[in-house]
Amino acid sequence: MTRNSTPRHGRRTAYAAMLATALAVPTTAAVVPAAAEPSVDAPVLIEEVYGGGGNNGGVYDRDFVELYNPGDEPVSLDGWSVQYGSAGGTTWSSQTDLSGQIPAGGSFLVAQAAGNDDTQPDLPAPDVDGGIYMSGSGAEVALVSSTDRLDCSGAACAEVADLVDLVGWGSANTYLGSGPAPGTSNSVSVARVDHAHTVDNAADFVTGTPTPENSGSTSEPTPTPSPSPDPTPELVTIAEIQGTGDTSPLAGQDVTTRGVVTAAYPTGGFNGFTLQTAGTGGDPADDETPGASDGVFVYSWAGAQEVEVGDHVEVTGEAVEYYGLTEISAESWTILDEPAEPVEPTVTAWPATEAEREALESMLLAPSGEFTVTDNYSTNYYGTVGLAAGDGPLVQPTTAGRPGSEEAAAQEAENTALAVQLDDGSSWNYSGASRADTPLPWLNGTDPVRVGAAVTFTGPVVLDYRYSAWSFQPQQQLTGDSADGVQPATFENTRESSPQDVGGDVRVATFNVLNYFTTTGDQLEGCSYYTDRAGDPISVRGGCLARGAADAENLQRQETKIVAAISDLGADVVALEEIENSAAFGKDRDQALSDLVDALNAADGAGTWAFVPSPAEVPADEDVIRNAFVYRTAGAEPVGESRILTDAPEAFQNAREPLAQVFQPAGGKTAAPVDDVVVITNHFKSKGSLGPWPGDVDAGDGQGRNNESRVRQATALVEFADEVASDARTDRVLLVGDFNAYEQEDPIVVLAEAGYTDLGPTTGEYTYSYDGQVGSLDHVLASEGAMEDVTGADIWNINAYEPVANEYSRYNYNATILYDTSPFRSSDHDPLLVGLDLAPGAPSWANGHGPGGNPKHDD
């Protein structure tokens, strides 16, 4: 169902307009020092910004910036300035110096440049004339308590001592809080509602018709109301406002209704509260308004500051549809003295249809039935946990069925129907400069929130619709500081301290180690970095060949986790992907690989691990990352030299060439190669940057970009594997690695049709999580000969199911530091482990020794 969306208009309350003019302005103004950085206590605010003046479709003849004084003393603006920067720029290109004073509770109008249309109305008389040409769609404006030109961009601006306030809107790259204010057009401005100021441009500003006010603005006198026999407004029920469709039948009309406050959000950017008809909820069978919700969101920052959960409140305002959520944009509210029947949470399983969800919008719920974590990526940023109704996470459609098939379409439809978010009652970005010191909700370093974990609701939640998704909201904003008594759910701990026992005398694993580079960014020129909340570099962002840690300290954090993961994996042979190709930095090709083995031996004992050296022949043109092997010397040993596919340059022009090595059990060589196995590690082209072939364009069938590249790589791999196996005189072959293709996609089918069996699906687990859906990009595919020797397989979910916040690359992004030295979130891919019994005559897994008798265990 398509949900209607109507943008909210910036509306100033009559009270605020009168306050701006009714207060007397003393002849001298207080000199108020600027805060050390923008804060909720800023002495002067940027109230409204309009850049469409004098343009075609403009409302006024000039651009303007309106300031507002929220205090009870006038403020001198002498020596201050308004400064301007373009949306995508990194400099502040122009400024208007200020003088004069801004009255207590009043406005101050700074006029800027005019456009070409002189037929438009004039602005009210400006308090200061400026000449800045401002964008009509998006830019950045700063209020500075000096005339020194700013020299900052992005999050760094929030730390400038002279910066009093800043607003970025549209596509601005400099803003306060979680994001810029909405983009504008020539006919609309961005303005605060009720002078809201949470230091979050995205939450504080809305678009609407420009309403410029200067320091001498006066309100129109309020007419004396005509006598009325019944001054009491006509009440409508919340159900009448909601209606039985996806939009309110009263949208655009002023309404007055009553209800009990079930949630209030004075902080966090929601700027409002939810109201539900007294006495409703509980057993759905007792619902007296079937098909129509008894709850509604009331948009009012000022109201949210005053009401509390349980209050009986009367609200008057306009009924609106705000991007799919029915709201009342409140003009007034009254906390009533008369008692009201309490609201009971409605006990309900996840509604199966959009209409059923609409009938519960903004109501207090006690969710019943099973829910499972399916997405924790955004938890690190916006405090949102993605859930799936049911006993498992959502699955990638091309894991469930062939691209374009009915099975894939059915999985996609199921994903849409079962998805719901568990939110934190706010729009804050907890890794943004202004919120990073607030501890994250949900994530605390003790109780993991993992994909696949069962969810237990311990308190009621409100169902609402924000950011194009249905969400469960707590009854007030949840942060790490306020978890007790606010957090409405807990999560099962599904961590496993080790993989299951896969048997065999040689165990082979594949593991993508997420850009393990021992050449750190600080050793090179030109690197840019992802930084922590203190501005310190953590990992390389671009500008140089390195892709991993920024410096030795961060490399140590990364390496510690990778070593723990490889050590605890229990494998004799580990195929690695995404490890540094040290030749790109003028070093021995194996330097980073050697460094990793040194770290493994330091942890597990000298001589425990070794690496397979590079062969004499390597590709002429290689990527900066490569494939590699490490092995336990007591468990396996290489036979002969490794071998890289070098004669298929077209197929692998945008991927890493496969690396092959023959292995046998340590110390057990027989006269014939009956105990040999060929292992070939792979890293096919990703679904990212577009490859060179016609079939690399995303066909919309679920396989993403570069499908033809991966099919060509799979085809070349089959030929290479045949050659290596023939030369090694064995029919045991394992094709392992990161194929960047889910289980039912074309490249995996090419390998299956060549006689290889994908062992990952037998485990019931997945190696990767993306966009709230699980599937396997990493595979171990066994030849028919190898299948006779397979004794078990397991995917050890230590990475893909973990929050990204636990990764070394997110160290100190937030006050809640989740990094530890465990294997968990050592990478973004999970390792896959396979056991092989290479002794002649051993019983085979293919003949009944499958995972059914070796169930998954939990620690």
Side-chain angles (χ1 to χ4, degrees):
M1 180 180 295
T2 301
R3 295 177 60 85
N4 187 32
S5 61
T6 303
R8 179 187 292 134
H9 295 285
R11 175 180 297 195
R12 315 221 179 169
T13 64
Y15 169 78
M18 288 187 289
L19 179 66
T21 57
L23 294 176
V25 181
T27 56
T28 59
V31 177
V32 181
E37 59 185 42
S39 74
V40 293
D41 298 319
V44 179
L45 304 178
I46 298 173
E47 177 75 6
E48 183 173 6
V49 180
Y50 175 57
N55 297 339
N56 183 30
V59 179
Y60 288 96
D61 64 339
R62 298 179 66 177
D63 302 340
F64 69 85
V65 176
E66 182 186 329
L67 309 178
Y68 176 72
N69 176 2
D72 56 7
E73 294 287 341
V75 175
S76 171
L77 300 179
D78 291 345
W80 291 30
S81 60
V82 165
Q83 301 188 22
Y84 175 84
S86 62
T90 56
T91 62
W92 295 85
S93 57
S94 52
Q95 71 184 62
T96 298
D97 293 342
L98 304 179
S99 62
Q101 62 185 22
I102 178 170
S107 299
F108 190 94
L109 187 63
V110 185
Q112 299 296 356
N116 297 320
D117 191 343
D118 58 5
T119 65
Q120 294 167 345
D122 295 336
L123 286 176
D127 294 293
V128 166
D129 263 309
I132 301 173
Y133 287 93
M134 303 203 309
S135 169
S137 57
E140 301 149 5
V141 168
L143 176 62
V144 184
S145 62
S146 73
T147 57
D148 296 335
R149 187 66 61 87
L150 293 175
D151 183 20
C152 64
S153 64
C157 286
E159 301 175 4
V160 175
D162 292 343
L163 188 69
V164 181
D165 195 15
L166 182 152
V167 58
W169 75 101
S171 57
N173 57 14
T174 298
Y175 48 81
L176 298 180
S178 63
T184 53
S185 65
N186 291 339
S187 61
V188 298
S189 66
V190 287
R192 300 177 189 272
V193 177
D194 297 337
H195 314 301
H197 184 48
T198 66
V199 202
D200 188 335
N201 291 166
D204 292 341
F205 286 85
V206 296
T207 58
T209 302
T211 56
E213 295 182 4
N214 59 22
S215 60
S217 295
T218 57
S219 299
E220 293 295 325
T222 303
T224 302
S226 301
S228 171
D230 183 9
T232 304
E234 181 180 352
L235 292 174
V236 296
T237 67
I238 292 174
E240 289 172 324
I241 296 170
Q242 282 280 6
T244 57
D246 62 349
T247 59
S248 169
L250 303 180
Q253 300 179 32
D254 283 341
V255 295
T256 299
T257 193
R258 289 181 176 182
V260 175
V261 176
T262 56
Y265 307 105
T267 61
F270 282 7
N271 299 333
F273 55 94
T274 55
L275 205 62
Q276 186 166 330
T277 300
T280 59
D283 188 345
D286 298 330
D287 184 7
E288 297 181 359
T289 59
S293 171
D294 291 307
V296 69
F297 183 76
V298 178
Y299 179 74
S300 173
W301 177 83
Q305 310 304 308
E306 294 190 8
V307 303
E308 296 180 354
V309 172
D311 283 346
H312 188 202
V313 176
E314 180 176 294
V315 172
T316 296
E318 182 184 0
V320 299
E321 288 292 328
Y322 183 63
Y323 294 98
L325 179 65
T326 301
E327 298 183 355
I328 299 173
S329 185
E331 298 172 357
S332 65
W333 60 92
T334 302
I335 300 174
L336 303 172
D337 291 332
E338 60 189 80
E341 289 185 70
V343 167
E344 296 293 332
T346 297
V347 180
T348 179
W350 178 241
T353 66
E354 190 78 2
E356 291 173 320
R357 294 190 277 274
E358 285 283 354
L360 295 171
E361 182 184 79
S362 295
M363 287 181 64
L364 194 65
L365 304 183
S368 64
E370 294 180 303
F371 289 87
T372 304
V373 175
T374 194
D375 191 6
N376 53 21
Y377 184 82
S378 291
T379 316
N380 184 51
Y381 300 96
Y382 297 103
T384 301
V385 182
L387 305 185
D391 61 358
L394 306 179
V395 176
Q396 292 287 344
T398 52
T399 287
R402 290 283 288 137
S405 67
E406 292 183 2
E407 292 82 0
Q411 183 64 57
E412 186 172 11
E414 179 177 299
N415 291 348
T416 300
L418 298 182
V420 58
Q421 297 192 81
L422 179 58
D423 208 352
D424 65 336
S426 89
S427 57
W428 284 2
N429 179 351
Y430 294 89
S431 65
S434 63
R435 303 300 178 199
D437 292 334
T438 303
L440 284 163
W442 308 115
L443 306 179
N444 56 30
T446 302
D447 306 304
V449 181
R450 288 169 43 91
V451 170
V455 180
T456 300
F457 283 94
T458 57
V461 290
V462 172
L463 177 65
D464 78 351
Y465 188 87
R466 296 177 192 271
Y467 309 109
S468 301
W470 287 101
S471 301
F472 292 138
Q473 302 288 355
Q475 291 182 277
Q476 67 186 69
Q477 183 187 6
L478 170 69
T479 70
D481 286 332
S482 67
D484 291 345
V486 177
Q487 182 170 311
T490 60
F491 310 92
E492 173 192 16
N493 186 348
T494 61
R495 282 181 170 178
E496 298 173 333
S497 61
S498 62
Q500 73 172 22
D501 181 6
V502 296
D505 48 32
V506 172
R507 289 162 294 278
V508 178
T510 178
F511 186 22
N512 180 316
V513 291
L514 185 59
N515 289 316
Y516 172 76
F517 274 59
T518 57
T519 301
T520 54
D522 61 351
Q523 299 172 18
L524 305 173
E525 297 292 333
C527 295
S528 61
Y529 301 99
Y530 294 102
T531 59
D532 67 7
R533 62 192 173 116
D536 295 329
I538 299 296
S539 59
V540 176
R541 183 172 192 160
C544 62
L545 288 179
R547 297 184 183 178
D551 52 31
E553 182 180 10
N554 287 288
L555 172 60
Q556 182 64 42
R557 293 191 187 106
Q558 180 189 24
E559 186 176 88
T560 297
K561 295 185 82 69
I562 291 173
V563 166
I566 294 175
S567 178
D568 292 349
L569 185 54
D572 301 298
V573 175
V574 183
L576 304 174
E577 300 85 43
E578 275 194 30
I579 189 170
E580 171 189 303
N581 178 0
S582 299
F585 302 101
K587 305 175 184 179
D588 183 278
R589 187 176 187 271
D590 295 333
Q591 183 60 58
L593 184 58
S594 175
D595 293 339
L596 178 58
V597 167
D598 287 346
L600 283 163
N601 285 330
D604 292 344
T608 302
W609 292 91
F611 66 87
V612 173
S614 293
E617 184 180 3
V618 299
D621 184 18
E622 289 192 278
D623 197 353
V624 72
I625 55 174
R626 54 168 286 199
N627 302 314
F629 289 106
V630 296
Y631 61 95
R632 288 184 186 267
T633 56
E637 60 186 39
V639 179
E641 186 182 57
S642 64
R643 182 170 167 183
I644 299 177
L645 173 58
T646 57
D647 58 0
E650 281 198 347
F652 285 92
Q653 62 183 286
N654 58 1
R656 284 58 54 181
E657 290 84 358
L659 170 67
Q661 177 64 59
V662 180
F663 287 96
Q664 66 176 7
K669 184 67 178 173
T670 58
V674 295
D675 54 358
D676 289 352
V677 59
V678 173
V679 184
I680 305 178
T681 179
N682 301 270
H683 191 185
F684 285 4
K685 179 70 180 85
S686 73
K687 299 175 185 284
S689 59
L690 192 61
W693 307 105
D696 284 340
V697 176
D698 189 344
D701 60 358
Q703 300 188 93
R705 289 180 168 182
N706 306 314
N707 188 52
E708 182 174 349
S709 282
R710 290 189 291 273
V711 167
R712 286 173 179 262
Q713 289 153 17
T715 302
L717 172 61
V718 170
E719 296 178 4
F720 178 57
D722 288 346
E723 293 174 8
V724 175
S726 177
D727 292 344
R729 294 183 298 145
T730 181
D731 62 352
R732 298 187 188 94
V733 179
L734 296 181
L735 308 180
V736 308
D738 177 3
F739 293 84
N740 273 309
Y742 292 112
E743 292 88 328
Q744 298 289 333
E745 293 183 5
D746 294 344
I748 306 305
V749 170
V750 168
L751 301 176
E753 290 178 346
Y756 291 89
T757 299
D758 190 0
L759 300 178
T762 67
T763 69
E765 304 285 354
Y766 306 95
T767 71
Y768 201 67
S769 175
Y770 178 73
D771 198 23
Q773 300 169 9
V774 296
S776 289
L777 297 177
D778 311 84
H779 305 271
V780 172
L781 297 112
S783 67
E784 291 183 13
M787 279 298 294
E788 294 297 317
D789 301 311
V790 171
T791 56
D794 187 38
I795 293 172
W796 189 23
N797 292 132
I798 55 174
N799 297 322
Y801 287 14
E802 291 281 328
V804 68
N806 296 6
E807 206 172 276
Y808 93 94
S809 65
R810 302 308 195 275
Y811 183 82
N812 199 31
Y813 268 44
N814 179 267
T816 305
I817 298 178
L818 295 168
Y819 173 86
D820 59 29
T821 59
S822 73
F824 297 105
R825 199 61 192 196
S826 51
S827 178
D828 56 344
H829 293 246
D830 285 325
L832 197 162
L833 181 68
V834 172
L836 297 172
D837 196 334
L838 298 181
S844 74
W845 190 46
N847 291 329
H849 298 271
N854 193 10
K856 198 80 168 173
H857 66 87
D858 293 333
D859 293 295

